[in-house]
C-alpha cells in the first residue's frame, strides 16, 4: 500500500501578475523557498515564461523539473494525471511545490472551458495532500471572466504584495457551469454501435479520420481513443452509442455519445492505483488528444476529442504537441 504524505493541507493560490518583472520575482521566490527547505519543485508554464524562470534561477534551475505547459498541458485534461500527479506521486514524503500555468493569453475559447474545469478539479485531486500548486494569471492580458473564474477556483489570491482568502471560492460551481451541452454537428459522419460493432466503429473512425487528413501516429491515436470510448459506452453507457467524426479547421474531431452518466468529476484524471484493473480508458484519451471536451447529464454523456492533422513537434510522442493559440474569450 502506497504512502501519501499529509502535512498541513493542500494549498492552491492564484498569482495575479502585471509585468514580466513581477512574474519572475514572485515565481522565482516561490521556487527558492521550496529549494531552501528541501521540497521537490516543478515548474510547468508556457515556453516564454519558462525561459524567464530558467534564466533567473541560474544554476538552481538544475534542481527543478521544468516543463513547457504549451506542450505538456496542450490538452488541459492531462495536466492533473500527467504533470501534477506525475510529479507529486513521485515524491510522496514531505511537501511538494509546483507552479502550474494552464491559462495564458492565447488559449482559445474552445479550450478555455476545459482549462477552467481543470483548475477547479485540482482542489479535489489533491485534497489532503502535502502539495502546493501556484497558478499564475496575467492580470493585464486575460479576460475579466477568466480572472473572475480564477478567484472561484483558488482559495487564496496573491496580488501585488498582498495575500487574501477568496470570498467567492467554490470550485464545484465552476465544474458544473462549464459542463455545457455539445450540440451535434449536422455534417458529421456518424455510426451507431453496440457490443457487436466495436471493431466496425474503430474501422469507421479510422477511415473517416484518414479521409479528413489524419495519418501516421495521429491516425493511430484516433483509432485508440475511439476504441476506448466506444468500449466504455458498451460497458458503462447503456450498451450502445453513436460515433461521429468531422473536420474543424486544422483538426479532426471524434465524438462518442451514449446513455450513461459520468458521476466522478475526476474520471480520466485520476491515475489508477498499482494493480488496478480498468479505469484507464478516458485517461488514455486525455493523453493522446490535443483537447477533450465532455458533457454529462441524466440523459447521457458526450465525449468529444480533437486531434491536430499535423504532428506539430514532428515526432510520434502524443504528450508533446504544441497547439494553435488565440486570445482567451467567449
Amino acid at each position: 500500500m502506497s504512502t501519501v504524505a499529509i502535512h498541513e493541507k493542500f494549498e492552491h493560490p492564484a498569482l495575479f501578475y502585471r509585468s514580466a518583472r513581477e512574474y519572475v520575482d514572485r515565481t522565482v521566490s516561490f521556487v527558492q523557498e521550496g529549494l531552501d527547505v528541501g521540497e521537490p519543485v516543478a515548474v510547468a508554464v508556457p515556453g516564454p515564461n519558462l525561459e524567464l524562470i530558467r534564466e533567473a534561477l541560474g544554476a538552481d534551475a538544475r534542481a527543478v523539473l521544468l516543463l513547457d505547459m504549451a506542450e505538456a498541458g496542450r490538452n488541459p485534461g492531462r495536466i492533473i494525471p500527467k504533470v501534477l500527479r506525475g510529479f507529486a506521486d513521485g515524491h510522496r514524503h514531505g511537501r511538494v511545490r509546483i507552479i502550474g500555468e494552464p491559462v495564458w493569453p492565447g488559449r482559445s475559447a474552445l479550450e478555455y472551458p476545459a482549462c477552467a474545469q481543470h483548475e477547479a478539479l485540482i482542489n479535489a485531486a489533491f485534497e489532503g495532500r502535502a502539495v502546493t500548486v501556484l497558478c499564475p494569471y496575467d492580470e493585464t492580458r486575460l479576460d475579466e471572466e477568466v480572472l473572475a473564474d480564477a478567484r472561484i477556483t483558488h482559495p487564496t489570491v496573491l496580488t501585488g504584495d498582498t495575500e487574501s482568502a477568496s470570498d467567492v471560492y467554490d470550485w464545484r460551481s465552476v465544474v458544473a457551469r462549464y459542463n455545457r451541452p455539445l450540440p451535434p454537428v449536422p455534417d458529421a459522419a456518424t455510426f451507431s454501435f453496440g457490443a457487436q460493432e466495436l471493431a466496425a466503429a474503430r474501422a469507421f473512425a479510422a477511415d473517416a479520420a484518414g479521409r479528413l487528413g489524419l495519418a501516421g501516429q495521429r491516425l493511430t491515436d484516433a483509432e485508440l481513443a475511439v476504441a476506448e470510448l466506444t468500449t466504455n459506452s458498451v460497458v458503462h453507457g447503456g450498451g450502445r452509442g453513436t460515433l461521429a467524426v468531422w473536420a474543424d479547421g486544422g483538426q479532426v474531431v471524434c465524438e462518442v455519445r451514449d446513455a450513461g452518466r459520468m458521476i466522478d468529476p475526476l474520471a480520466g484524471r485520476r491515475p489508477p492505483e498499482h494493480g488496478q484493473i480498468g479505469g484507464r480508458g478516458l485517461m488514455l484519451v486525455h493523453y493522446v488528444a490535443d483537447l477533450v471536451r465532455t458533457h454529462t447529464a441524466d440523459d447521457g454523456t458526450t465525449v468529444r476529442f480533437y486531434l491536430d492533422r499535423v504532428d506539430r513537434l514532428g515526432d510520434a510522442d502524443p504528450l508533446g504537441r504544441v497547439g494553435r493559440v488565440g486570445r482567451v474569450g467567449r
Side-chain angles (χ1 to χ4, degrees):
M1 181 176 178
S2 62
T3 300
V4 176
I6 298 178
H7 174 66
E8 298 177 353
K9 62 180 180 178
F10 172 56
E11 298 177 4
H12 187 207
L15 168 64
F16 286 10
Y17 65 92
R18 301 186 63 84
S19 68
R21 179 61 178 271
E22 181 181 11
Y23 180 88
V24 171
D25 286 348
R26 298 301 295 269
T27 56
V28 170
S29 176
F30 177 84
V31 171
Q32 292 287 6
E33 288 171 3
L35 295 179
D36 288 346
V37 296
E39 293 176 358
V41 181
V43 175
V45 301
N49 288 347
L50 189 67
E51 290 309 309
L52 290 175
I53 294 173
R54 188 198 308 272
E55 182 177 354
L57 284 172
D60 284 340
R62 293 193 294 269
V64 179
L65 176 64
L66 301 172
L67 299 171
D68 185 346
M69 187 66 97
E71 298 176 8
R74 160 70 166 140
N75 170 24
R78 68 171 171 249
I79 298 174
I80 289 175
K82 183 64 178 178
V83 179
L84 305 183
R85 283 283 305 268
F87 183 72
D89 289 358
H91 301 86
R92 291 179 174 268
H93 302 285
R95 180 163 289 276
V96 172
R97 186 173 290 232
I98 304 170
I99 299 176
E101 189 171 7
V103 185
W104 57 85
R107 277 289 203 185
S108 70
L110 181 65
E111 296 169 320
Y112 179 70
C115 295
Q117 287 189 317
H118 156 74
E119 282 283 59
L121 289 168
I122 289 177
N123 298 286
F126 287 98
E127 183 178 8
R129 292 284 301 267
V131 176
T132 301
V133 179
L134 175 72
C135 300
Y137 282 80
D138 189 333
E139 195 172 8
T140 65
R141 299 171 62 201
L142 290 171
D143 292 350
E144 282 300 322
E145 288 179 275
V146 175
L147 300 175
D149 283 344
R151 292 183 174 92
I152 301 173
T153 56
H154 295 78
T156 306
V157 178
L158 310 177
T159 56
D161 294 326
T162 66
E163 176 178 337
S164 58
S166 173
D167 59 359
V168 292
Y169 174 62
D170 181 12
W171 66 264
R172 292 176 179 82
S173 69
V174 169
V175 175
R177 176 153 46 90
Y178 289 105
N179 179 34
R180 296 172 175 172
L182 301 169
V185 174
D187 59 352
T190 60
F191 182 86
S192 295
F193 63 88
Q196 303 305 313
E197 292 84 32
L198 289 178
R202 180 170 178 165
F204 173 87
D207 179 68
R211 286 187 285 104
L212 292 172
L214 289 190
Q217 183 62 45
R218 296 275 69 189
L219 186 56
T220 300
D221 291 343
E223 290 184 76
L224 182 59
V226 165
E228 294 294 340
L229 292 177
T230 53
T231 299
N232 279 350
S233 292
V234 168
V235 176
H236 305 291
R240 302 197 58 81
T242 301
L243 167 67
V245 184
W246 68 93
D248 182 2
Q251 296 179 305
V252 171
V253 189
C254 299
E255 173 188 279
V256 174
R257 294 175 181 263
D258 60 42
R261 177 159 191 176
M262 196 181 303
I263 59 175
D264 179 7
L266 284 172
R269 303 173 198 248
R270 182 186 289 107
E273 296 296 330
H274 180 70
Q276 177 181 329
I277 298 175
R280 295 171 173 80
L282 185 54
M283 188 174 72
L284 185 148
V285 177
H286 278 300
Y287 276 23
V288 303
D290 294 299
L291 176 67
V292 178
R293 295 285 305 276
T294 62
H295 173 254
T296 189
D298 288 341
D299 60 351
T301 292
T302 301
V303 179
R304 181 179 293 183
F305 68 88
Y306 297 73
L307 293 169
D308 290 341
R309 296 195 221 200
V310 176
D311 183 341
R312 296 176 182 272
L313 291 189
D315 62 27
D317 177 7
L319 302 184
R321 305 255 162 71
V322 179
R324 311 182 312 288
V325 290
R327 179 174 172 79
V328 169
R330 303 300 195 277

